[in-house]
Amino acid sequence: MTDLDAFRTHVSQWCAEHVPADWRAAQTGVGDEEFVAFQKSWFAELHAAGFAVPHWPAAWGGGMPVAEQIVLYQELAAHDAPRLVLAFVGIHHAASTLLIAGTDAQRRRHLPAILDGEIWVQGFSEPEAGSDLASLRTSARREDDHYVVDGQKLWASGGAHADWCLLLARTDPDAPKRKGISYFLLDMATPGVDVRPIRNAIGDSHFCEVFLNDVVIPADHLIGAENAGWQVAQATLGAERGMTMLELAERLGNAGFRWLVEDCAHPRPDGSRPLDDASVRDALARFETELSGLRAMCRAVVERPDAGGPADPSIVKLFYSELLQRMTDFGTEIGGLDAHTVLAKPMSSGWESGAWMLDYIGSWEWTIPGGTSEIQRTIIGERGLGLPREPVTS
């Protein structure tokens, strides 16, 4: 047995002993307090096992080799472990920002706190500044040893539960729009911060809008240089690719596909099964083929990051989001009228829960945030295929 085989056996045994067998039922229809408590408890359990932040440097509690990280996420997906929904921004976006551009004091303050359960939210998008993020209008003006911030942020996932925020604000209104933005760490308990949950189409209030009214941020909470926030933000956004996409692809290829096959094998009221239909079997075969390709692409991106092209992360994101949409659409069709009567899904699940109609509606989120499918195609065309770039006005 190789060391990697031994590690897989270790993770598999740990999952068998620690993944709550009834967590999906227990997390369906729960309130915010139960959801937050469960998420923090599950994060603490993963952290105790050394599985919470394997991608961090060893000095901060990570250091797991890439090959082992792949095995870890494969086994967590195979055992249908809950996702770290609330910790996602903290362990990926905030951590990558701090490690790349933060000061030693900022890293010492926040990285251990994230491991202790500190929750983060991303304050990037605004009304009229979503896909065109550089058009943001939230302002930050310097006054002595602090900045005063005014503005509004939108689509702040998990904002109602967040302790800290990664905030972009304009510090030079006269500079070209990408050159006048600064990057801040905002304590969400600061006076003047008003968080308002937004109820979405499936009844969740995961998204929030954040209003900032004369909010004071100490100058030492600036990340990087003043007016250099756009460059720092690219590192933050880059953390959504790579290993996080591999985890999502493994989950879609495990529980998501398994439930789809099971539903196709389930008898209809007349005794027939969708699986008896050749067109249904063909569709499942296509999905399995596409899933195999997606999972292979994700492994290639994380195993050989220097061997790929600059458009690879966009290819993976586009492929995953549109495959997720097609699979959940197909699941809704197979589920028939019964799929339309499910009103709640597990709070700690991924984008595939088996509640097909809710999953399908939720899948549209993936083709919009983090760069719409149209933007991903532009990146693939320009950076991957070398097509002429669209003109940039500023």
Side-chain angles (χ1 to χ4, degrees):
M1 178 183 289
T2 67
D3 290 344
L4 206 57
D5 290 333
F7 180 71
R8 185 181 296 278
T9 299
H10 167 63
V11 176
S12 179
Q13 290 175 344
W14 185 91
C15 287
E17 295 171 2
H18 290 85
V19 173
D22 62 345
W23 74 266
R24 287 188 173 274
Q27 279 284 285
T28 300
V30 299
D32 283 350
E33 287 188 13
E34 295 95 331
F35 167 61
V36 173
F38 178 82
Q39 280 283 305
K40 289 192 172 186
S41 173
W42 178 238
F43 179 82
E45 211 161 344
L46 286 169
H47 177 38
F51 298 156
V53 290
H55 57 292
W56 286 18
W60 294 104
M64 185 180 291
V66 167
E68 291 188 4
Q69 291 184 53
I70 293 172
V71 168
L72 172 64
Y73 289 123
Q74 287 175 338
E75 290 302 313
L76 289 172
H79 288 81
D80 190 29
R83 283 198 66 226
L84 293 175
V85 180
L86 271 187
F88 184 89
V89 174
I91 64 177
H92 293 292
H93 296 168
S96 66
T97 302
L98 290 163
L99 290 166
I100 293 170
T103 64
D104 287 340
Q106 289 168 343
R107 285 190 282 267
R108 289 194 301 270
R109 162 61 183 84
H110 290 292
L111 292 177
I114 291 171
L115 293 179
D116 286 337
E118 186 175 79
I119 298 172
W120 285 72
V121 65
Q122 188 173 290
F124 284 16
S125 296
E126 299 181 5
E128 302 180 22
S131 295
D132 184 15
L133 181 59
S135 296
L136 64 87
R137 293 180 292 183
T138 293
S139 66
R141 66 183 186 275
R142 180 71 183 255
E143 293 185 359
D144 299 324
D145 62 348
H146 63 271
Y147 291 82
V148 179
V149 181
D150 290 280
Q152 179 186 355
K153 295 296 177 178
L154 199 58
W155 314 127
S157 301
H161 313 300
D163 303 301
W164 285 81
C165 174
L166 301 171
L167 182 74
L168 290 181
R170 189 166 300 285
T171 42
D172 186 350
D174 299 321
K177 60 183 185 180
R178 286 178 175 81
K179 297 183 182 298
I181 296 171
S182 296
Y183 199 120
F184 299 94
L185 307 178
L186 168 63
D187 184 343
M188 294 293 282
T190 305
V193 177
D194 181 13
V195 180
R196 303 179 190 178
I198 302 171
R199 196 169 184 84
N200 65 17
I202 64 174
D204 292 340
S205 298
H206 184 61
F207 291 129
C208 296
E209 54 185 340
V210 181
F211 294 89
L212 306 161
N213 184 22
D214 289 337
V215 174
V216 174
I217 300 180
D220 61 4
H221 288 191
L222 178 70
I223 289 273
E226 187 176 285
N227 298 324
W230 183 258
Q231 290 73 23
V232 178
Q234 302 317 298
T236 300
L237 293 172
E240 264 190 314
R241 307 297 188 260
M243 203 64 73
T244 61
M245 290 307 305
L246 182 139
E247 178 194 0
L248 291 169
E250 289 297 326
R251 289 179 179 275
L252 187 60
N254 276 274
F257 185 67
R258 183 169 67 246
W259 291 326
L260 197 59
V261 173
E262 289 173 357
D263 283 0
C264 288
H266 193 271
R268 297 187 179 108
D270 65 359
S272 66
R273 302 181 310 158
L275 203 55
D276 296 331
D277 188 326
S279 64
V280 171
R281 295 196 297 273
D282 286 346
L284 290 175
R286 286 195 300 273
F287 285 137
E288 186 171 25
T289 301
E290 288 183 278
L291 285 166
S292 296
L294 172 65
R295 294 162 83 176
M297 276 200 305
C298 289
R299 287 195 299 272
V301 167
V302 298
E303 287 175 337
R304 304 190 311 275
D306 298 330
D312 283 3
S314 291
I315 294 171
V316 169
K317 198 266 187 183
L318 181 66
F319 193 177
Y320 169 81
S321 59
E322 298 198 349
L323 177 56
L324 172 69
Q325 206 164 80
R326 292 196 303 274
M327 283 182 62
T328 53
D329 184 20
F330 183 74
T332 303
E333 180 181 354
I334 292 298
L337 292 176
D338 287 344
H340 294 255
T341 64
V342 178
L343 302 179
K345 60 184 288 186
M347 292 285 286
S348 297
S349 68
W351 300 94
E352 68 299 316
S353 71
W356 294 117
M357 174 56 78
L358 300 182
D359 287 341
Y360 176 58
I361 295 172
S363 73
W364 287 84
E365 295 177 18
W366 258 98
T367 57
I368 300 172
T372 63
S373 292
E374 290 77 13
I375 287 177
Q376 303 307 327
R377 287 186 168 88
T378 296
I379 294 172
I380 293 167
E382 293 177 353
R383 301 180 189 175
L385 301 177
L387 299 178
R389 296 179 63 87
E390 293 185 0
V392 177
T393 58
S394 60

